[in-house]
Amino acid sequence: MSVSLTPQFPSLAQRITPLQLLRPDGTLVGGAEAPLDDVRLQDALRLMMLSRAVDDKGVSLQRQGRFGTFSTVKGQEASVVGSAVALDPSRDWVVPQYRELPALLRQGLPLEHFILYYQGHPAGGRIPEGVRLLPIQISIAAQLPHAVGLAWGLALQGSDAVVLAYFGDGASSEGDFHEACNLAGVVRAPVIFFLQNNGWAISTPRSRQSSARTLAERAPGYGFDGVVVDGNDLFAVYAATSQAVERARAGRGPTLIESQTYRFGAHNTADDPTRYGHGDTLSGWIERDPVTRVQRYLAARGQWSDEIEVQVRHGIAATIDGALAAARSVPPPAAADLFTHTYAELTPRQVRQLRQLSTTPAAAEGR
Amino acid sequence: MSVSLTPQFPSLAQRITPLQLLRPDGTLVGGAEAPLDDVRLQDALRLMMLSRAVDDKGVSLQRQGRFGTFSTVKGQEASVVGSAVALDPSRDWVVPQYRELPALLRQGLPLEHFILYYQGHPAGGRIPEGVRLLPIQISIAAQLPHAVGLAWGLALQGSDAVVLAYFGDGASSEGDFHEACNLAGVVRAPVIFFLQNNGWAISTPRSRQSSARTLAERAPGYGFDGVVVDGNDLFAVYAATSQAVERARAGRGPTLIESQTYRFGAHNTADDPTRYGHGDTLSGWIERDPVTRVQRYLAARGQWSDEIEVQVRHGIAATIDGALAAARSVPPPAAADLFTHTYAELTPRQVRQLRQLSTTPAAAEGR
Amino acid sequence: MIEAIRDALRGEMTADERVVLVGQDIGRFGGVFRATDGLHAEFGERRVFDMPLAEGAIIGSALGLAISGLRPVAEIQFLGFTHQAFHQIVSQVARMRYRSQGRFPASVVIRAPFGGGVKTPELHADAIESQYAHVPGLKVVAPSSPREAKGMLLTAMRDPDPVLFCEPLRGYRLMKEDVPSESYTLDIDKVRIVREGTDVTLIAWSAAVDLASRAADALLSEGVRAHVVDLRSIAPLDVDGLIAAAERTGRCVVIHEAPLTAGFGAEVAATISCEAFYALQAPVERVTGPDAPFPLAGAEQIYLPDVSQVVAAARRTLAAS
Amino acid sequence: MIEAIRDALRGEMTADERVVLVGQDIGRFGGVFRATDGLHAEFGERRVFDMPLAEGAIIGSALGLAISGLRPVAEIQFLGFTHQAFHQIVSQVARMRYRSQGRFPASVVIRAPFGGGVKTPELHADAIESQYAHVPGLKVVAPSSPREAKGMLLTAMRDPDPVLFCEPLRGYRLMKEDVPSESYTLDIDKVRIVREGTDVTLIAWSAAVDLASRAADALLSEGVRAHVVDLRSIAPLDVDGLIAAAERTGRCVVIHEAPLTAGFGAEVAATISCEAFYALQAPVERVTGPDAPFPLAGAEQIYLPDVSQVVAAARRTLAAS
Ligand SMILES: Cc1ncc(C[n+]2csc(CCOP(=O)(O)OP(=O)(O)O)c2C)c(N)n1
Ligand SMILES: Cc1ncc(C[n+]2csc(CCOP(=O)(O)OP(=O)(O)O)c2C)c(N)n1
Ligand SMILES: [Mg+2]
Ligand SMILES: [Mg+2]
């Protein structure tokens, strides 16, 4: 071949480093300012710690058979909390996958709903009126077009609300991701695609998920900006998300944020991460624990101490116990729970089926 | 917000111009060499002219009710032919959408199969043994994962074959496009994603299809190279495709080629392009007619003249007449044609249904 | 019929400003079948939106639009291409109300034409309604005439649940009848008795209702009075209405274009056979497309059920004792 | 049962080097249920391939692999997630042989578990086999025991047509039986008589066969001898085998986990009711999941059909006259 072409679209990934403001040792990167004051930061820290405590409690309950299969946030708390606190829950929406507990709580979901859901109670899916949150999504990436439609629809109706959609590195391979991003670019929907790249999709490493150097560099292919952030740096995540929120609110369209983080635990409580080399890089990430990083920063400012920590942990334990008790007080599922909310009204066949089921032994025994 | 982020991944599209080697007036771009010699170029030109003649014939037969709904290639001949002739039909494969007639012919599909297909005869779908071509694909973008699997599978079996997959600007919005590109990047499949950006998906303009500046810049998001070429320049298309073929053959993975072109006619014979402003930019494109461009180049070299053209047109007319006659000689579809090749063998129900249908009046009348 | 559909869309868009239309080529172009002709000019870009070529995103974003408080009507160019959005329709739109325990009703209407007879390319004619009939949370309806189409579409647009609205492609131009100009609704969850009869019950929906009626005409010339029933709603099924119609004659023929096996005719036949067991005088007959893909245009007349097949089936039920 | 499946995969991979496995997490991890445990180590990266998280690409590329001359076996983690690949399965894999008029047989096996009883998250248990049963060109089979699973999978892997191989999730660990270590095939297109009986015919597939057998035990204690039939193949349906089994007793109960409406039980009941009409002593009963989404784990015991429901239905058929 006589003609040799230089690549027209080389990857820009080599040129960039993930945005970082707070170093693992808790000091600010030279020249950086803290984007959150100490009071808001302590709130965020408390939420991160609550999340981790629920994770631990859930895993132990699951082992006792008192909780279903669920996915912990552990290791990704700065990623979830840093992004969630950039929203205004009184107007903005969160569209979750399944690994974003603190974002759900921050939007106002009562913890007992989350518990009921993972205890397998149909009522656990309920989202109280006024809580701007879509249900937990099990079908990977399927929530992304919903987020775009929701954001677009709110904008069409004159709202300045922003929609924050969570998903994982695995999800970025689904067609729904692509279709949603492309549509969002076309309608300039006020949506933020928040990609938590935690290194794994169950056992599949990020390197096998895609040959792209970064996933954020897909953004120009949809006509908007992409950003890579240190996902274990609460400040960086918060700063990047806040900028995306501002942009969306001002009508300047979507942003794709790739938050580079790592899950510390198993994919979920049914997973065995020793089978696929998850531990090989884990220790390096544990040194970059998102929670201790913030604690160190606050401690250096005299805003965090063992005493404060004990107090916070006490509060968290009480919150969890209260939620567990509230969940226990809900009556076990009954046959009617299978049908209610399937349609606005029961169909004739459902009426008949409900009548039949209500008289069978299984239903009579409760669950 | 205190932190202001410069875009990490700005679009590179402004920096690039589509690859062009042959100007609309038929002269070579300064410094360019012709990548095809005159003999091969004349073959390519003949194929472009045959394609256009079949288009014209098909449209007129369609108006007489003797041909079904089909989509013309007209205007995109350099794009299709320039890419197809970069392949070696004795080892490489073509995976088409529905607007690539000359590529099918170049791979060895008899023209009468194409005619039968658009006359609605089930037998029209048949692809002779040894012709490396998948069937015409009606479901937009669904062929792309097939192309990846085919390319990957051939490579796994030690072949150095390359697969060229065609699709449109509209198709680039489908999830299948994304999933296929991403997988191709991961397995470094020897596949070329040849995107014919002809400005429209039925009535939907390219600008509405995506906010990306170019579609080729999606390639880095999958870990391979993207190229934008002047799709009405046979030399540029050929050169870019040849380079992609070389790369794929050498095991260096996929390429995304965006061939910027324009369809001269309606989307298909059921379309009315006056309803959506298709004509507004048409005249500018007709000046860039891919066929006359090559004719001018050859004429300047003394390799094309009115006499040669008349001769070529005669040959083409004979080819088409022969194919139409061959198609006419095929018996009309019968009830058995509904079932044969559904499975390797008829199912018991199919056997029964075939028996019933073979005795109904409709079947007795033939079509 | 296409005018009746456009009329319904225009009427409801005028009456309820929450109604928005999304789909491919529905804007300036007015849709590949002109269902939305003129609506873009009348209601503007914000209410009639040309979408990128991605069915999953059309349906998925329509669900999001509904959650935001709008009432989206999505057009998919052909029912066969809803397969690209199958996961969004079946696991998302149909489930959102249930998943959120009532918080997010998914009031989305999905319009799509289907069926053969107009020589479309491959996949364009596929009759796949039974795949959707199996989806709790989704309503599936199929009008059989212009008048029905208008009233049913208006009703569907006001329904609190998601409705897959399957339009008979060959009815778009071929079916003509006077349609009231004002807005009206219909009991779309009840079967419609198209004509009364006492000898054999013909059950159909969509374009097959016309076939059933033509078969009834042919039967009448033999002195057989057919009771013709239009299901209207495939899901939920009006079991009582269906059983009453079946018991009326005790002899039933179900007609549809989709392949026999696991077509919705199976549910109809099973329901009748089980619930009208003692009233049945003959086995329920199914006249359907064969177990084969809908073929290219040249073979569609062989594929499609026709009057003679319906008449023959009716005669078989009458011969049984 | 999971060992039997692994055994079949290993056996055929050893015997035929064209067999390759593709799916999510099937490599080093061995699959979320360990169906492919050890196969990556044994056969290497080129034959056991972890795919990106995209079901459409898994199935679509498997079709391409088949065309290239390989024999791909694709694992989809749960049948519910085949919806993401519905267009590729239904409009592509199932059609390629027909579309190419025999040139490109799509010898692809798609394995996926389904069904409840093991408290999986939402969508993981969905029993949607009837949506696939309606697809000409596709075979749909569902083994009911380890021995059956091995033989049926080996047979499916050698089948020239695409096979959707639906595995009973709750059987993976719970169902145990001795399985021959060598390779063997089975008549997967013929129903299997699980036990002979004369009073009532219980028809099931997949995990429901075990339920039918337990119900047959319960009925036996009342002196009722049930004829238990395992369909094995949902599509194509072994009509003759089914009719023979139905006629054996004239009283039939069909059992499945999927919702009633348009479930495959409808086809079974319609086929029996029509073709064994004169032999039937009672309406065909369907014992199925209700018309509702498969619920979260805490309600699945209410949702799932149980022995008492099957016994009650059998008694109803016996009481009819
Ligand atoms: C459509 C679909 N396919 C497969 C699965 C099974 N599955 C559950 S989680 C998961 C991995 C998700 O990885 P990622 O998106 O990176 O999210 P993470 O779990 O790492 O947060 C898979 C494959 C699913 N739930 N949905
Ligand atoms: C999945 C699917 N959706 C919709 C259609 C209807 N349709 C046929 S052609 C077309 C536009 C295709 O545009 P593009 O990909 O740019 O190809 P072009 O026709 O311009 O060559 C559409 C929407 C289809 N055939 N398949
Ligand atoms: Mg991940
Ligand atoms: Mg185009």
Side-chain angles (χ1 to χ4, degrees), chain B residues 200-242:
Chain B
W200 299 95
I202 307 186
S203 77
T204 308
R206 162 63 187 81
S207 57
R208 166 55 64 91
Q209 196 61 244
S210 177
S211 288
R213 295 233 174 79
T214 67
L215 297 167
E217 69 197 271
R218 291 190 182 153
Y222 304 119
F224 49 81
D225 274 351
V227 191
V228 180
V229 298
D230 174 350
N232 285 17
D233 172 354
L234 186 88
F235 281 170
V237 173
Y238 174 78
T241 312
S242 296

Side-chain angles (χ1 to χ4, degrees), chain B residues 76 98-99 167-171 195-202 204 206 209 263 267, chain C residues 53:
Chain B
Q76 305 179 212
Y98 49 68
R99 197 190 290 285
F167 60 109
D169 47 319
L195 193 168
Q196 294 202 74
N197 173 358
N198 64 359
W200 299 95
I202 307 186
T204 308
R206 162 63 187 81
Q209 196 61 244
R263 66 165 150 81
H267 165 68
Chain C
L53 211 176

Side-chain angles (χ1 to χ4, degrees), chain A residues 168-170 196-201:
Chain A
D169 47 318
Q196 293 201 76
N197 173 359
N198 64 359
W200 298 95

